[in-house]
Amino acid sequence: MSRSLRGIVREFGPAAQVVGTERYEPTRPGPGQVAVRMVLASINPSDLVTISGAYASRTVLPFVPGFEGVGVVEETGPGVRDLRAGQRVLPLGSAGAWQQTKVTDGRWCLAVRPELTDEQAATAYINPLTALLMTRHHVLDTGAEVVAVNAAASAIGRMLIRMLNRAGIRPIALVRRPHSLARLAGTELTAAVCTADRPAGEALHEITRGRGLDVALDAVGGTEGAELGRALAAGGTLVHYGLLSGQPLPPHLPAERRDVRIVLFRLRDWVHTVQAEAPDRLADALAEVFGLVLDGTAASQVAGVYPLSAVRQALERDAAPGRRGKVLLSLAD
Ligand SMILES: NC(=O)c1ccc[n+]([C@@H]2O[C@H](COP(=O)([O-])OP(=O)(O)OC[C@H]3O[C@@H](n4cnc5c(N)ncnc54)[C@H](OP(=O)(O)O)[C@@H]3O)[C@@H](O)[C@H]2O)c1
């Protein structure tokens, strides 16, 4: 194998300042491993949070970032029977998508449906699967009817709304800026609220006529997440899955609302648990997600594709206000 290029983080900090690139010699795949020639990888908030050092206790420096991307199997190691060279896969379960050759455990490489484009495949895992699982387990399985989604114009926010719409639910959407409201066009909503105009709690009380929410899907945390928690009906559930505000939920919230459930959802917990206990469930869930990506329900818009050598420009674009869609890294030479 020729020398490959990879993104590398040697110190924690803002991604656009600390991610560099370097040449390296990929190792040959050992027993059970495969070498995947990466094609496209996405930049997600989970990458930026990890690079920032928020999970410093479980992140060893230096490391290659990237939790999501698509590649092609280049070589299989001894004992790998279910994969063959040339097969397109999502190498999941670890960071390292921002490199040209990822050598990884073959059990974590899931085949991609041929109908998906590389752009669709590179964005078919983190947000689509999270949206599917949260919708299924916390909304559909509980019979919830009155549902709110914040950061509603984010990639996952819009997927959640489309999945809820498919189930006949018209959620209440919250965005932080007026211009984001236009990005909700084409979805069916009970109401759309801009939290720059009025506090979320006040708006939710009025829209639900004091009934409260059955489920709130919170990607923001901090004050806004707490307002969603307070806006729940008794017996309701706050599903907290993101920290876009940079602030955790207030620690006193559970004591304030003993009559609701506050659930922390992390895709990696679900994925690692099912992979250890029942790996077919992960493959089945991904197969379902691929269908939802193809029919548009779990589709992601792409804001731009940058070569890995321009990773800092890609990260600056990702951080720029008003970005519409995901920024992807091309790993092709
Ligand atoms: N727990 C999990 O397993 C899991 C899995 C997937 C995603 N997530 C989380 O879901 C969140 C969204 O991910 P994504 O990929 O959809 O992100 P994204 O498409 O990059 O969108 C983020 C958008 O959210 C809006 N936003 C940013 N800060 C905000 C704030 N303080 N309040 C309200 N809106 C804000 C911004 O839109 P405007 O600029 O238009 O306001 C921004 O464009 C992230 O926190 C991510 O970590 C968690």
Side-chain angles (χ1 to χ4, degrees), residues 43-46 49 126-127 130 150-157 175-177 179-180 183 195 219-220 224 240-246 265-268 318 321-323 325-326:
I43 297 176
N44 284 304
S46 50
V49 170
I126 292 184
N127 283 334
T130 301
N150 66 7
S154 64
I156 192 168
V175 297
R176 64 171 171 173
R177 292 198 260 242
H179 80 252
S180 302
R183 306 199 60 219
T195 54
V220 176
E224 188 175 309
H240 173 57
Y241 71 95
L243 268 186
L244 285 169
S245 66
F265 182 89
R266 278 196 303 233
L267 180 65
R268 73 184 285 283
D318 186 75
R323 165 179 54 82
K326 287 280 152 201

Side-chain angles (χ1 to χ4, degrees), residues 9-234:
V9 174
R10 299 190 178 283
E11 57 175 324
F12 295 121
Q17 291 172 31
V18 300
V19 179
T21 55
E22 67 178 20
R23 293 270 162 201
Y24 69 109
E25 200 68 54
T27 55
R28 300 288 299 274
Q33 290 187 319
V34 295
V36 179
R37 183 168 43 76
M38 297 302 296
V39 176
L40 268 184
S42 54
I43 297 176
N44 284 304
S46 50
D47 301 316
L48 309 181
V49 170
T50 305
I51 294 166
S52 78
Y55 308 131
S57 60
R58 60 169 193 249
T59 312
V60 179
L61 290 169
F63 71 97
V64 180
F67 289 114
E68 183 173 41
V70 62
V72 175
V73 174
E74 197 165 44
E75 187 180 352
T76 57
V80 175
R81 277 180 292 278
D82 300 337
L83 297 165
R84 54 184 162 66
Q87 194 170 3
R88 211 162 49 129
V89 293
L90 302 183
L92 308 179
S94 57
W98 299 3
Q99 62 185 321
Q100 288 183 318
T101 306
K102 179 175 179 179
V103 177
T104 188
D105 187 334
R107 290 170 304 177
W108 278 105
C109 290
L110 281 96
V112 177
R113 260 176 79 167
E115 302 95 311
L116 289 165
T117 65
D118 286 335
E119 287 194 2
Q120 287 173 321
T123 52
Y125 168 53
I126 292 184
N127 283 334
L129 187 52
T130 301
L132 177 73
L133 294 170
M134 292 196 302
T135 303
R136 172 154 308 149
H137 296 155
H138 295 296
V139 181
L140 306 188
D141 288 355
T142 63
E145 291 173 359
V146 184
V147 180
V149 175
N150 66 7
S154 64
I156 192 168
R158 291 186 303 148
M159 281 176 206
L160 284 165
I161 294 170
R162 291 191 295 258
M163 287 184 193
L164 293 168
N165 285 170
R166 275 169 68 98
I169 295 169
R170 296 156 63 104
I172 302 165
L174 299 105
V175 297
R176 64 171 171 173
R177 292 198 260 242
H179 80 252
S180 302
L181 291 168
R183 306 199 60 219
L184 302 175
T187 59
E188 292 175 32
L189 302 171
T190 294
V193 176
C194 175
T195 54
D197 296 338
R198 60 190 306 208
E202 178 193 300
L204 291 169
H205 185 80
E206 187 186 302
I207 293 161
T208 65
R209 297 197 184 92
R211 173 197 185 279
L213 303 166
D214 295 325
V215 173
L217 299 165
D218 169 43
V220 176
T223 314
E224 188 175 309
E227 283 196 73
L228 260 62
R230 292 189 191 105
L232 289 168

Side-chain angles (χ1 to χ4, degrees), residues 222-285:
T223 314
E224 188 175 309
E227 283 196 73
L228 260 62
R230 292 189 191 105
L232 289 168
T237 307
L238 175 67
V239 185
H240 173 57
Y241 71 95
L243 268 186
L244 285 169
S245 66
Q247 302 298 319
L249 289 173
H252 51 81
L253 186 63
E256 236 181 88
R257 288 300 314 259
R258 292 186 195 277
D259 57 339
V260 303
R261 281 199 321 143
I262 301 176
V263 176
L264 177 67
F265 182 89
R266 278 196 303 233
L267 180 65
R268 73 184 285 283
D269 294 346
W270 185 87
V271 165
H272 283 266
T273 302
V274 297
Q275 184 67 341
E277 293 171 1
D280 286 352
R281 281 182 64 200
L282 178 57
D284 290 348

